[in-house]
Amino acid sequence: MNEYDDDGGDGVQGAAKKVVTSLPVSTELILNFGLDFTFGTACLLCFVSGGIGNTAAFFYFKMSRNNVAHTIYKVITLTDVVVSVCVVPVAWCYFSERSPGLLFGIPALCTIWGYTWNIVGRLSIFLVVVLSTTRTILVMKPFYSIKTSWVLLSIALYTLFLLVQLLLNDWLLDASVQYKRLYGECVFYTALKPRYPIIHFIGYTVPFIIPMFVVLVSCVCTVYAIALKPKSNDAHNVILQTSSSRVTKTILIFTAVYCIFNVPLVFDRLFVAVQNLFKGHKDLYEFKFREYYLNFTFSLSVAINSALNPWLYLWRMVNFRSFLRRCVRRAIPHRYNAVDHSCGGPNLAKRGTQETINL
């Protein structure tokens, strides 16, 4: 999240050039303790569901067949774990009347959290793009080989790009990471209007808008390719097509959930971009409980998306359910099977199942 303060309402003009722990409360700040409790509870639920669920999912994908899709899923689950952990200090702020707490109260930790949250939030969007586009390519060209190393390289380069972009914003836009009681988290804050609107557009609009369009185009192409694909009467090919179709549907559902929770953010970024590029900056959020709208759009929706992903794996992936059952049985001493030394068993990586098909 990025914020401007034209008249220094929440801080002095020079405060934008240094990291501070908290700012005076704006007279326009309207807190609703019922909503604060609801948002805080939602953050904790996201932490429990996203943290535990995505950790289990990571180990499942780690023990499964090593292909492009599972490699992407492993990075997605790790990213979702970080997202789930990052909302814990936000929950504390909601439960403590927006006090910064231990983490947000220390400038260095506030800055680290701000950079981490902005990177993982944008990275999670990029990973959906990678997952969707790779599946589209393989549906349209089944015999095309996508190298895992190239996928990982693209993810690493994009992560580096995000870090450089945030550092440039800090320098070119005179921005800094500060705790804002209005939002209950550390945000990139500047007391100045952007001197370089195009830099602001690239940093705070492009990473949210472009991926949505890429994902939508990719999904349309995937559905179109499946509809045109001829059906085979051979029993072996029918099994392969059924498995491939199930995997494709899983990825489409995964992508649809991403779109649902990111549509408000995309429309917000589009609207702000138009205002900044053509009419100059203007406060677009002059309505009651505006801070809760911003909190949901920029933060809570990301955490909910990450918390729901393990449930999608549980619903769509038969082997993941089996993996969890084996983990539970192994955790119970009197039902422990001495032959099965891991939750996945000795042959999980070799099994040709619907979700471990070579994507």
Side-chain angles (χ1 to χ4, degrees):
M1 187 184 298
N2 179 250
E3 179 180 283
Y4 303 106
D5 190 354
D6 294 335
D7 56 6
D10 272 31
V12 296
Q13 189 83 357
K17 296 184 180 180
K18 62 179 180 179
V19 177
V20 298
T21 57
S22 61
L23 296 172
V25 181
S26 171
T27 56
E28 298 180 357
L29 177 60
I30 302 176
L31 292 182
N32 183 292
F33 296 105
L35 286 175
D36 270 10
F37 181 82
T38 301
F39 273 57
T41 303
C43 288
L44 289 183
L45 291 176
C46 289
F47 167 68
V48 174
S49 175
I52 297 176
N54 283 297
T55 299
F58 169 77
F59 284 105
Y60 164 71
F61 291 120
K62 185 176 182 294
M63 298 174 65
S64 301
R65 180 178 299 177
N66 188 24
N67 54 45
V68 173
H70 280 186
T71 299
I72 300 172
Y73 276 128
K74 281 186 284 188
V75 182
I76 288 175
T77 52
L78 285 177
T79 303
D80 287 342
V81 167
V82 176
V83 169
S84 301
V85 172
C86 280
V87 296
V88 174
V90 179
W92 168 269
C93 294
Y94 283 124
F95 288 133
S96 60
E97 299 183 358
R98 304 295 180 93
S99 65
L102 179 62
L103 191 147
F104 291 161
I106 301 176
L109 295 181
C110 183
T111 301
I112 292 173
W113 187 94
Y115 274 88
T116 301
W117 179 257
N118 277 272
I119 289 176
V120 295
R122 290 162 171 79
L123 181 60
S124 63
I125 296 174
F126 178 75
L127 292 173
V128 175
V129 173
V130 174
L131 181 66
S132 178
T133 53
T134 52
R135 189 58 191 167
T136 300
I137 293 172
L138 292 174
V139 168
M140 300 181 69
K141 295 183 178 181
F143 299 103
Y144 184 79
S145 177
I146 300 177
K147 293 183 178 181
T148 303
S149 58
W150 285 104
V151 173
L152 292 175
L153 179 62
S154 66
I155 295 173
L157 290 176
Y158 188 74
T159 304
L160 180 61
F161 162 76
L162 291 176
L163 177 59
V164 172
Q165 175 259 313
L166 290 175
L167 291 173
L168 285 176
N169 284 341
D170 193 357
W171 176 46
L172 296 177
L173 302 180
D174 295 316
S176 64
V177 181
Q178 303 180 11
Y179 175 72
K180 292 284 288 183
R181 188 168 182 259
L182 178 67
Y183 306 119
E185 62 184 58
C186 297
V187 301
F188 279 82
Y189 173 86
T190 178
L192 307 173
K193 293 182 180 180
R195 293 178 298 177
Y196 306 94
I198 188 63
I199 300 296
H200 181 270
F201 178 79
I202 294 174
Y204 293 98
T205 304
V206 171
F208 301 103
I209 296 178
I210 300 300
M212 178 67 74
F213 287 103
V214 174
V215 166
L216 292 177
V217 171
S218 176
C219 289
V220 171
C221 293
T222 300
V223 173
Y224 183 73
I226 293 176
L228 293 181
K229 184 176 293 185
K231 295 184 179 180
S232 174
N233 295 323
D234 182 73
H236 179 68
N237 289 336
V238 168
I239 294 175
L240 290 178
Q241 287 182 353
T242 302
S243 300
S244 178
S245 176
R246 181 176 178 82
V247 173
T248 302
K249 289 179 181 178
T250 299
I251 293 177
L252 289 175
I253 293 172
F254 189 87
T255 304
V257 172
Y258 149 76
C259 292
I260 291 172
F261 284 98
N262 282 273
V263 163
L265 179 58
V266 171
F267 278 107
D268 178 89
R269 293 294 87 194
L270 278 173
F271 191 47
V272 172
V274 171
Q275 292 292 323
N276 287 340
L277 292 176
F278 299 105
K279 297 182 179 180
H281 174 67
K282 180 182 179 181
D283 192 350
L284 306 174
Y285 307 108
E286 291 293 346
F287 54 86
K288 191 176 182 180
F289 299 136
R290 62 177 185 170
E291 64 274 9
Y292 294 100
Y293 160 78
L294 294 173
N295 288 346
F296 178 83
T297 302
F298 287 90
S299 302
L300 188 57
S301 62
V302 179
I304 294 176
N305 194 171
S306 297
L308 287 179
N309 286 340
W311 296 99
L312 293 179
Y313 306 144
L314 194 63
W315 170 38
R316 297 293 301 176
M317 299 181 178
V318 177
N319 265 18
F320 182 53
R321 296 197 293 269
S322 300
F323 169 81
L324 292 179
R325 283 195 294 267
R326 282 191 291 272
C327 289
V328 173
R329 286 197 297 266
R330 184 172 181 260
I332 302 176
H334 70 276
R335 299 189 64 179
Y336 175 73
N337 183 357
V339 177
D340 189 4
H341 294 289
S342 65
C343 293
N347 297 316
L348 179 62
K350 298 180 181 179
R351 292 172 184 166
T353 60
Q354 291 175 341
E355 55 269 12
T356 57
I357 190 171
N358 188 15
L359 299 179

